[in-house]
Amino acid sequence: MRHILDRPIWSALDTVHADLAEGSERARRYPPSIVPFAAAADNTPESLEALEDLPEADETMLLVEAGPIAIPPGLVVVSEALAVQMVAERPHERIVDNRIQPLDQSDAEEMLALATLTKPGPFTLRAQSLGPFWGIKTEGRLIAMAGQRLRQTGFAELSGLCTHPEFQRRGLGTLLFRFVAGEIATQGETAYLHAYAINTPAIALYKSLGFRLRCEMNLRIVKRRA
């Protein structure tokens, strides 16, 4: 039996993020202005055909699944990678730290600039549509942030963790990681995350912070075949 996190994009768009979904009961995606994630409900020909119909000619979509990702004939793979999915082994304690503040839409451009600089993963001006974000500022300048991205019933993905290069190695990333994990646990949900399989230092850090490897994940970026 499949775990709800085996197809995390589909299960998010079929549950907590259903109000953001574009598509049908066969294939869905987030609005590209929020995040380029998409998924088919399963690997039946009908679902794969529906997935093929989702993108416009100039759009790419990112697919993430625990098993092999079936690609319909009308789509072509632009790039692919192996990732890992990690899940909190226990609920994290809630942290109170006056350096951490909630971010809102007025911070969106600065958040995008920080994400563009540090590359934590796909990020847009509308990232906060997926879940709350928090940050640390110095003299009004955003220097570190983290938040929630994919959400399913009982689960929330810790994502967008990044620190400006000038302020790294000061424990800010670890602090925000523990803070967001604590906020997720306070909601009664289990925190999880994704990391590239080759990023062994990050994986080791996440293990030290109470996360375990659940499974390997396949990642493919696709677009319409010319």
Side-chain angles (χ1 to χ4, degrees), residues 35 63 76 78 90 92-93 108 110 117 129 138 143 153 157 169 188-189 195 202 221:
V35 71
L63 316 175
V76 61
V78 176
R90 52 172 175 73
H92 283 62
E93 294 181 3
E110 198 170 6
L117 177 66
S129 301
T138 181
I143 61 171
T153 304
E157 182 192 23
R169 302 186 183 279
E189 298 173 331
I221 296 177

Side-chain angles (χ1 to χ4, degrees), residues 14 23 32 35 37 50 53 57 74 80 85 90 117 119 128 140 147 198:
D14 195 42
V35 71
F37 292 169
D53 290 340
E80 56 188 329
Q85 186 180 89
R90 52 172 175 73
L117 177 66
K119 298 178 172 56
Q128 294 175 79
I198 61 172

Side-chain angles (χ1 to χ4, degrees), residues 35-141:
V35 71
F37 292 169
D42 49 45
N43 291 337
T44 62
E46 294 81 7
S47 294
L48 295 178
E49 183 179 355
L51 180 69
E52 179 180 302
D53 290 340
L54 288 177
E56 300 294 335
D58 59 342
E59 292 176 340
T60 59
M61 300 190 305
L62 190 151
L63 316 175
V64 179
E65 295 180 19
I69 302 178
I71 305 298
L75 298 179
V76 61
V77 177
V78 176
S79 65
E80 56 188 329
L82 184 65
V84 296
Q85 186 180 89
M86 304 182 70
V87 179
E89 294 185 295
R90 52 172 175 73
H92 283 62
E93 294 181 3
R94 193 171 201 179
I95 292 176
V96 177
D97 191 305
N98 58 16
R99 291 174 294 175
I100 300 173
Q101 58 185 279
L103 301 177
D104 59 33
Q105 199 56 38
S106 67
D107 300 300
E109 291 190 7
E110 198 170 6
M111 293 168 65
L112 179 60
L114 181 59
T116 301
L117 177 66
T118 57
K119 298 178 172 56
F123 204 90
T124 69
L125 287 171
R126 296 185 61 196
Q128 294 175 79
S129 301
L130 302 175
F133 273 77
W134 296 268
I136 297 174
K137 297 182 180 182
T138 181
E139 298 180 351
R141 174 190 179 192

Side-chain angles (χ1 to χ4, degrees), residues 81-84 86 118-121 161 193-207 213:
L82 184 65
V84 296
M86 304 182 70
T118 57
K119 298 178 172 56
L161 179 68
L193 58 86
H194 294 101
Y196 285 111
I198 61 172
N199 195 353
T200 52
I203 293 171
L205 174 62
Y206 301 150
K207 285 182 177 179
L213 287 171

